[in-house]
Amino acid sequence: MTGLIAAGAALGMTVVLAGCGSPGGSEVTKLTLVAADYGTSAENTSRKYWDKVIDAFEEKHSGIDVEVTVLSWNDVDAEVKKMVDAGDAPDLAQIGAYADYAAAEELYTVEDLLSIQVHADFLPTLSDAGEVARVQYGMPFASSTRLLFYNKDLFERAGITKAPRTWDELQEAARLLKDEDVLYPYALPLGPEEAQGETLMWLLSGGAGYTDDIGSYRLDSEANVRTFDWLKDELVGEGLTGPVPPAELNRADAFAAFTDGKVGMLNGHPTLMQKAAQKGVDFGMVPMPGIKGEADASMGVADWMMAFRQNGHQDEIGEFLDFVYAKENVLDFSRRYDMLPVTVSAAEEMAGNADDAALVTFLDGLPSAQLYPVGKTSWARVSADIKRRIGTAVTEGGDPAVVLNALQRGAARADQPE
């Protein structure tokens, strides 16, 4: 995701699903789709999901064949860019970002493609995040939010009777865990893998974020500086974040330590549930603590479907996407890969199903979630800069105000029209 949401296995496999052609030998339209793999092995690759969806679609639409290439998250965004740059854009791409292609006028608008019913079914938070200049080009395909995970056994050992709701309670719990020799009382992954995610979660819990109310970058706001001052002085400076400096700790390593029972608390997304359960970790999940109580907003992440104009096929693409976003397909994908549904109809059904209770805990935060500013073409550069620099804000001798001000200056430059 922009890294955003769970990493797939590097399978790099292509599967061609050919239809039978339309009756009487009439012309068949072939659509090409490049999609990210949300699986972790050949056993649960996204190929199996797309195989099922496309077979069902082609059975009902004999004049349209769909050829899908499934690639790992390590490769898919770069591969689509390579195809577009070579003048060989796919009809559809399900990847991490859409804004650059929209700004270059290479995409259909969502209104060009979807039926009114399907378009209106997207969750409003996600629809809004798919817009550039108030026109929607990105169709949300998968989403997730974040919660604070905690190890119940370690909490019991440390005499902690309830999950923290405030920063002070989180600090006190971390101190008690440290006293019990827990390796990572609170794991703070500000390493280059996904530091922009951990950063946004903390900025939101401090009452601000990456942008202001009109969408301009405000990384060095007073609230953001206060948040990182607290992290530096009250968590890192007190030795409550473990043996690896936050600037060097990546999310994957923090997750692995949690599933090994070495972490008291950390922020996590839905796929961590399955990994922790497989390792026998007894864990709980609560909303991110804020300064004086539960944070006002949670962090949300979405991955995107987009349709390229290069080959035409507007009507055929629309027919296929209307089918893809049918409630049963959205629910199937969400349940297979521990993701949150992107449509109102699927979210309502999930919320009413006891079997989905764990995912519903994350779903509750989605309506008020704040996403990365993915509608900005500058976001990729700003995100990369955050990954590279933000960890230095909490090092010994580091100055959060200086680091955040430098990030703000870089963001303002990146946001200027070329």
Side-chain angles (χ1 to χ4, degrees), residues 284-328:
M285 303 177 297
V286 293
M288 180 70 179
I291 299 174
K292 297 299 181 183
E294 181 181 318
D296 292 335
S298 62
M299 173 182 146
V301 177
D303 299 325
W304 303 95
M305 179 74 77
M306 62 213 68
F308 288 89
R309 302 171 63 92
Q310 180 180 308
N311 303 319
H313 301 159
Q314 176 180 342
D315 292 342
E316 293 85 355
I317 291 170
E319 285 187 62
F320 178 61
L321 289 175
D322 275 355
F323 188 86
V324 166
Y325 284 105
K327 180 173 67 174
E328 60 270 19

Side-chain angles (χ1 to χ4, degrees), residues 84 90-91 93 97-110 112-113 132 136-139 305-310:
V84 174
D91 293 294
Y98 65 87
D100 284 342
Y101 301 122
E105 299 183 347
E106 292 169 326
L107 301 179
Y108 286 111
T109 70
V110 177
D112 288 336
L113 300 168
V132 173
Q136 189 179 352
Y137 296 91
M139 290 160 275
M305 179 74 77
M306 62 213 68
F308 288 89
R309 302 171 63 92
Q310 180 180 308

Side-chain angles (χ1 to χ4, degrees), residues 384-397:
D385 204 16
I386 293 169
K387 291 178 183 180
R388 186 169 58 251
R389 297 189 186 191
I390 194 63
T392 64
V394 298
T395 57
E396 185 176 357

Side-chain angles (χ1 to χ4, degrees), residues 1 4-5 38 73 94-96 139-142 301-305:
M1 338 200 135
L4 218 236
I5 299 205
Y38 290 78
W73 273 109
Q94 187 273 296
I95 53 178
M139 290 160 275
F141 182 77
V301 177
D303 299 325
W304 303 95
M305 179 74 77

Side-chain angles (χ1 to χ4, degrees), residues 253-277:
D253 296 326
F255 279 16
F258 185 80
T259 62
D260 286 340
K262 299 175 181 177
V263 174
M265 299 173 284
L266 87 170
N267 287 316
H269 53 59
T271 57
L272 182 57
M273 295 188 299
Q274 185 178 36
K275 294 176 181 178

Side-chain angles (χ1 to χ4, degrees), residues 97-371:
Y98 65 87
D100 284 342
Y101 301 122
E105 299 183 347
E106 292 169 326
L107 301 179
Y108 286 111
T109 70
V110 177
E111 190 174 321
D112 288 336
L113 300 168
L114 298 182
S115 66
I116 293 172
Q117 294 87 346
V118 173
H119 191 184
D121 198 27
F122 287 132
L123 289 162
T125 298
L126 302 178
S127 279
D128 292 347
E131 294 181 354
V132 173
R134 301 194 176 184
V135 177
Q136 189 179 352
Y137 296 91
M139 290 160 275
F141 182 77
S143 67
S144 69
T145 57
R146 302 292 188 263
L147 292 172
L148 181 73
F149 283 66
Y150 62 97
N151 185 310
K152 290 184 176 181
D153 291 334
L154 296 180
F155 265 45
E156 183 177 355
R157 196 171 88 194
I160 305 167
T161 58
K162 62 178 182 178
R165 293 185 63 254
T166 68
W167 287 3
D168 286 346
E169 290 177 2
L170 187 147
Q171 183 194 46
E172 179 59 23
R175 284 174 174 158
L176 293 170
L177 290 162
K178 182 183 179 182
D179 290 344
E180 290 297 318
D181 297 321
V182 174
L183 192 62
Y184 293 91
Y186 177 86
L188 182 66
L190 295 177
E193 180 196 352
E194 205 192 26
Q196 85 285 1
E198 184 74 13
T199 298
L200 181 54
M201 284 181 267
W202 277 100
L203 298 186
L204 291 172
S205 78
Y210 285 137
T211 58
D212 60 19
D213 291 341
I214 61 172
S216 298
Y217 288 115
R218 287 293 181 269
L219 279 79
D220 61 347
S221 69
E222 182 179 339
N224 289 346
V225 172
R226 181 181 65 232
T227 294
F228 265 80
D229 279 340
W230 189 88
L231 285 172
K232 177 179 182 293
D233 296 337
E234 305 300 331
L235 281 189
V236 181
E238 294 290 325
L240 302 177
T241 55
V244 179
E248 300 173 18
L249 182 64
N250 283 324
R251 183 194 63 175
D253 296 326
F255 279 16
F258 185 80
T259 62
D260 286 340
K262 299 175 181 177
V263 174
M265 299 173 284
L266 87 170
N267 287 316
H269 53 59
T271 57
L272 182 57
M273 295 188 299
Q274 185 178 36
K275 294 176 181 178
Q278 288 172 346
K279 288 289 197 75
V281 176
D282 187 10
F283 62 90
M285 303 177 297
V286 293
M288 180 70 179
I291 299 174
K292 297 299 181 183
E294 181 181 318
D296 292 335
S298 62
M299 173 182 146
V301 177
D303 299 325
W304 303 95
M305 179 74 77
M306 62 213 68
F308 288 89
R309 302 171 63 92
Q310 180 180 308
N311 303 319
H313 301 159
Q314 176 180 342
D315 292 342
E316 293 85 355
I317 291 170
E319 285 187 62
F320 178 61
L321 289 175
D322 275 355
F323 188 86
V324 166
Y325 284 105
K327 180 173 67 174
E328 60 270 19
N329 291 330
V330 174
L331 283 168
D332 183 17
F333 179 86
S334 300
R335 289 162 173 161
R336 282 181 188 234
Y337 300 109
D338 286 332
M339 304 298 289
L340 301 182
V342 297
T343 62
V344 174
S345 58
E348 288 177 346
E349 179 152 329
M350 179 175 281
N353 191 327
D355 292 338
D356 294 317
L359 281 174
V360 170
T361 305
F362 289 89
L363 186 61
D364 288 342
L366 192 55
S368 62
Q370 290 193 26
L371 280 71

